[in-house]
Amino acid sequence: MRAFVFPGQGSQFIGMGKDLAEAFPEAKLTFEEVDNALDQDLSGLMFSGEEAELNLTENTQPALMAVSMAVVNILKSQCGFSFHEACSFVAGHSLGEYSALTAAGALEVADTARLLKIRGKAMQKAVPVGVGAMAAIIGMDLPDVQDIAQKAQSNSAQEELVVQAANDNSVGQVVVSGHKGAVELAVNLATEAGAKKAVILPVSAPFHCSLMAPAAQEMASALADTNIHPPLVPVVANVTAQPTSDPSEIRSLLVDQITGMVRWRESVMAMKEEGVTEMVEIGAGKVLSGLIRRIDREIATSSIGTPDQIEDLIGKMS
């Protein structure tokens, strides 16, 4: 049994998607559709722009979705790829959940591009630059990191600072998010408690914590105006680590995802418990494949984001 998974922020790089656009007309059309939906030359930025501009979250989010959907559209066209026959579940990491929903037919590409542009802008403006931070805690599991976050928040109670577990990425890799001072204190506490590594991440906002509440409100309004169809296969939601196919539930969970923890480790294990033995990463990079191997080495992984990888997958599935 197979699942398709879709990457989130951190997988972007200048040049992504360019080889796909040059090799496959389906990719070129996908990038043009996203550009038109946003009234922006996003593909030009992706192919040969400035890294700092691509790393702006309002650009990163639709760009990564565009690459994932370019691959999906190539597979559909080149080998009569049928989603409900090719996989049993889809899932994505943070913004990747939007890519997963689009690939499974729950959202249209143009709608998703616009939603992710709104999402990126809303998340960025929810907290002023420099006020928030995120940090990766390596070598500690979720319960221990949650205890450390609670201690850091309690020690910052007079200043009413927030720090929370934001991403449960894999065994021994948890990300915390919140006010900069509280996150820095959590890093110090984790180091003292024996973490292999605890480091502040180069991000522009504290994603997936309660400080993102203003962004959640904006996304609730945007999603209320968006048509969501039942997906062709169940989507494993970030905030519940459970599959769903109900459009109203999907809409609600996408709002909750803005402030909620990305339960990626649990999502992977939930799919394994349902019988999934192979997970194929669709889009830019190999970040999720690496995390999945850390979570459970029994799960076969592969990454599909280049022309050669696409040709290889087509050969395997034909």
Side-chain angles (χ1 to χ4, degrees):
M1 189 180 290
R2 181 187 297 115
F4 290 144
V5 298
F6 297 82
Q9 199 151 316
S11 293
Q12 72 274 10
F13 59 91
I14 293 297
M16 68 179 188
K18 187 172 185 291
D19 53 355
L20 297 175
E22 292 172 346
F24 300 101
E26 298 88 353
K28 187 172 184 293
L29 287 171
T30 302
F31 296 135
E32 288 175 355
E33 183 177 4
V34 171
D35 288 351
N36 291 335
L38 300 178
D39 193 23
Q40 174 188 3
D41 184 17
L42 183 63
S43 59
L45 171 59
M46 292 159 54
F47 298 166
S48 58
E50 294 295 327
E51 185 175 6
E53 188 176 357
L54 179 62
N55 287 344
L56 292 174
T57 189
E58 67 179 79
N59 292 325
T60 305
Q61 296 195 31
L64 284 167
M65 181 277 298
V67 176
S68 291
M69 285 310 302
V71 174
V72 169
N73 288 337
I74 292 164
L75 293 174
K76 286 180 178 178
S77 177
Q78 294 287 324
C79 62
F81 184 76
S82 175
F83 235 82
H84 66 281
E85 294 176 356
C87 69
S88 300
F89 298 96
V90 292
H93 191 285
S94 191
L95 78 91
E97 189 167 329
Y98 285 78
S99 304
L101 287 161
T102 309
L107 291 167
E108 302 295 333
V109 170
D111 287 339
T112 306
R114 287 188 286 264
L115 284 171
L116 288 174
K117 191 75 170 180
I118 293 168
R119 184 178 184 266
K121 286 182 175 180
M123 293 172 86
Q124 185 60 68
K125 74 180 183 181
V127 179
V129 174
V131 172
M134 299 181 77
I137 312 298
I138 309 299
M140 301 184 79
D141 291 333
L142 179 62
D144 292 331
V145 174
Q146 288 175 319
D147 286 345
I148 283 170
Q150 183 58 50
K151 288 178 183 176
Q153 189 161 295
S154 296
N155 290 342
S156 307
Q158 288 186 335
E159 299 178 76
E160 297 184 347
L161 301 185
V162 167
V163 59
Q164 297 164 344
N167 300 351
D168 182 16
N169 282 334
S170 70
V171 177
Q173 185 184 127
V174 181
V175 174
V176 296
S177 180
H179 286 107
K180 184 178 180 182
V183 170
E184 289 173 341
L185 179 56
V187 165
N188 293 336
L189 290 173
T191 301
E192 292 170 2
K196 291 181 181 178
K197 188 176 182 181
V199 59
I200 300 291
L201 297 175
V203 296
S204 56
F207 305 129
H208 299 294
C209 75
S210 60
L211 299 182
M212 289 286 109
Q217 292 177 351
E218 285 200 44
M219 287 309 297
S221 297
L223 285 160
D225 295 331
T226 303
N227 192 18
I228 300 178
H229 310 283
L232 298 173
V233 295
V235 179
V236 178
N238 282 185
V239 294
T240 62
Q242 294 297 317
T244 181
S245 297
D246 177 69
S248 61
E249 184 178 23
I250 288 168
R251 184 177 282 106
S252 177
L253 291 172
L254 288 176
V255 175
D256 293 344
Q257 190 217 64
I258 300 290
T259 56
M261 182 174 67
V262 175
R263 297 168 63 179
W264 185 250
R265 177 185 57 82
E266 291 178 75
S267 296
V268 169
M269 293 310 298
M271 287 186 280
K272 183 187 179 185
E273 288 169 7
E274 292 289 339
V276 171
T277 57
E278 178 187 5
M279 296 188 183
V280 181
E281 183 173 7
I282 303 289
K286 301 179 179 181
V287 171
L288 295 186
S289 297
L291 292 178
I292 293 164
R293 285 193 292 272
R294 288 174 63 99
I295 294 166
D296 194 317
R297 289 192 172 275
E298 291 183 355
I299 301 170
T301 61
S302 58
S303 302
I304 309 298
T306 68
D308 287 346
Q309 291 168 340
I310 289 170
E311 295 289 358
D312 184 53
L313 180 64
I314 290 172
K316 289 178 180 178
M317 296 178 71
S318 61

